[in-house]
Amino acid sequence: MKRVVSLGLAAVMAVSLTACGGGSETPETSAADAATTAASGEETTAADAQEPTEGGEESAAAPTGEGGSFKVGVIGPLTGDAAAYGLAVQHGAEIAAEEINAAGGINGAMIEINAQDDEADPEKSVNAYNTLKDWGMQMLVGTTTSGACIAVAAETANDNMFQITPSGSAVECVQNPNAFRVCFSDPDQGTASAKYIGENKMATKVAIIYDSSSVYSDGIRETFVSEAAGQGIEIVASEAFTADNKTDFSVQLDKAKEAGAELVFLPIYYQEASIILKQAADKEFAPIFFGVDGMDGILSVENFDTSLAEGVMLLTPFAADADDAKDFTTKYVDAYGETPNQFAADAYDAVYAVAAAAEKAAVTPDMDYSAICDALVPAMTQISIDGLTGTGTTWNEAGEPNKDPKAVKIVGGKYEMQ
């Protein structure tokens, strides 16, 4: 029988991040002990987060501890069109590391976070990976987007570097034994979306608007279509666009409207979704719009009228306003001046998963990254974490998470967990 280790994250999130020093814990206190400290009412503190820097410098203040420190790399788009994802991953990872360090670290060893920008480009992502290797990275939390993650996964497999991606959802992201993920895979998202729509009898006539040039979007669409038939869902229109043509969706919306679609499934990113919602409103076309995790961030689009997103639903495991996320959301807003999205929550859980596996495997900072990887891989299948994106989350040997899917609805400019 597999032994299970739980970090009790709900209690850990009560640890204070508002000042430096002053905590009562010692470096020998494990990350898992944070739950006990928080429950006792004792306050611990951590170093203030800093903005990302260039040239391979640490993105958060380097912690010190008697037990040394683990070097954890983070890769994602910190600039460019997808920066909302990469910055969220960086910031979520930083908050988790600060909490764990404030609670005594991983068996007394601290966590150092170094985030590198890949602009969601596979080649630049490999460059970022090499920069982190030169820094001395021992574990990778990344990459953020699927295309970049697939490219880097080939490198980590060759090097035997432990990798956990918060949000790389393409199947190929975790095809190697050294790689795990926090989010659901593209096939799982498509299947779960169709099941949710069918089981909740949201619609029987569904149109799909998707990006045929995106592995992410097309992969979700494919499994959605496969599951839809068994859920009594008729696909009345399936309309594609590409990365080179993503500003005018008149044709796609007209076909969905003419086909009598009651719901439009959008397995796409939030930038394109915001345009679709505006153009649908102009056409007085008001079906239910249902998206997946790539649409998380739509409420933060510059100059977007958020009232257009009223009633939109997303298959996403995190809502910033949910009761179990309030402490994390408060810390995130205080540190970065914006509301966290699901990508931040995924990265937060990824760092806690690394900490739990590292404690389980009893790895130490003086071990090289290959030895750490050999120890962490089996440990990942023996841990359980109560995180922001799921309670009792476990991982199988294929690197996939086991947790219940959740959906949110946008009401009054906020997410409401359904």
Side-chain angles (χ1 to χ4, degrees):
M1 178 180 295
K2 296 179 180 177
R3 294 174 59 196
V4 176
V5 177
S6 175
L7 286 181
L9 295 187
V12 173
M13 288 190 290
V15 177
S16 172
L17 291 174
T18 58
C20 295
S24 62
E25 307 227 354
T26 65
E28 287 74 27
T29 305
S30 71
D33 289 337
T36 303
T37 300
S40 71
E42 297 178 8
E43 185 177 30
T44 57
T45 57
D48 293 332
Q50 298 177 352
E51 290 304 307
T53 57
E54 298 179 355
E57 297 297 324
E58 287 87 347
S59 61
T64 59
E66 293 180 7
S69 61
F70 289 102
K71 293 190 173 184
V72 178
V74 174
I75 300 175
L78 307 183
T79 60
D81 290 343
Y85 303 134
L87 288 171
V89 164
Q90 176 194 348
H91 296 159
E94 287 174 347
I95 289 178
E98 288 171 349
E99 288 182 354
I100 293 167
N101 290 341
I106 301 172
N107 293 330
M110 301 290 102
I111 299 173
E112 294 182 54
I113 297 290
N114 183 336
Q116 293 293 319
D117 185 10
D118 68 3
E119 300 179 44
D121 177 87
E123 183 177 350
K124 291 179 180 178
S125 201
V126 171
N127 291 338
Y129 172 72
N130 288 328
T131 296
L132 288 169
K133 279 183 63 183
D134 290 342
W135 170 66
M137 174 175 61
Q138 295 165 296
M139 315 160 191
L140 174 62
V141 173
T143 65
T144 300
T145 55
S146 287
C149 191
I150 293 170
V152 170
E155 302 296 321
T156 64
N158 184 62
D159 291 336
N160 198 37
M161 172 81 71
F162 178 82
Q163 178 178 7
I164 181 167
T165 172
S167 49
S169 55
V171 172
E172 295 85 354
C173 290
V174 298
Q175 64 183 346
N176 301 313
N178 65 304
F180 295 78
R181 73 169 122 233
V182 175
C183 67
F184 288 120
S185 69
D186 292 343
D188 286 346
Q189 286 199 71
T191 300
S193 295
K195 284 183 176 179
Y196 190 94
I197 292 167
E199 291 174 357
N200 288 280
K201 303 187 184 304
M202 295 178 63
T204 56
K205 293 186 176 182
V206 173
I208 305 172
I209 300 177
Y210 69 102
D211 183 353
S212 61
S213 64
S214 165
V215 172
Y216 167 81
S217 184
D218 196 37
I220 296 174
R221 176 204 61 83
E222 185 175 354
T223 54
F224 180 89
V225 171
S226 297
E227 179 64 28
Q231 294 293 331
I233 296 171
E234 177 187 0
I235 306 299
V236 297
S238 184
E239 302 300 318
F241 65 92
T242 67
D244 296 326
N245 183 20
K246 56 179 183 179
T247 58
D248 185 356
F249 299 95
S250 297
V251 172
Q252 293 92 334
L253 288 167
D254 285 342
K255 289 187 177 180
K257 185 176 182 179
E258 291 167 2
E262 303 160 328
L263 182 149
V264 176
F265 181 53
L266 300 174
I268 59 177
Y269 293 120
Y270 65 90
Q271 297 97 330
E272 293 83 12
S274 68
I275 299 172
I276 288 173
L277 293 177
K278 173 62 170 63
Q279 293 178 359
D282 291 342
K283 293 176 177 294
E284 298 183 345
F285 179 39
I288 299 169
F289 286 99
F290 193 105
V292 288
D293 61 4
M295 275 179 63
D296 193 2
I298 193 167
L299 296 178
S300 64
V301 175
E302 187 174 359
N303 299 321
F304 175 64
D305 180 359
T306 57
S307 68
L308 297 175
E310 187 74 10
V312 168
M313 296 191 67
L314 310 177
L315 191 77
T316 178
F318 174 74
D321 296 313
D323 289 342
D324 61 357
K326 287 181 178 178
D327 288 338
F328 172 75
T329 298
T330 297
K331 292 174 185 176
Y332 196 98
V333 172
D334 288 347
Y336 307 110
E338 59 187 15
T339 302
N341 58 25
Q342 178 230 321
F343 291 79
D346 282 337
Y348 179 93
D349 286 356
V351 173
Y352 267 103
V354 168
E359 288 192 345
K360 176 69 178 176
V363 296
T364 56
D366 59 346
M367 296 169 63
D368 65 49
Y369 63 75
S370 181
I372 289 175
C373 183
D374 287 340
L376 292 186
V377 167
M380 281 293 294
T381 64
Q382 301 174 56
I383 64 169
S384 172
I385 67 168
D386 293 326
L388 294 172
T389 66
T391 301
T393 301
T394 60
W395 282 264
N396 61 28
E397 292 181 354
E400 300 289 357
N402 300 306
K403 56 186 175 181
D404 292 331
K406 302 176 183 178
V408 298
K409 185 176 184 178
I410 297 176
V411 179
K414 295 182 178 181
Y415 289 171
E416 287 188 359
M417 194 64 71
Q418 301 298 293

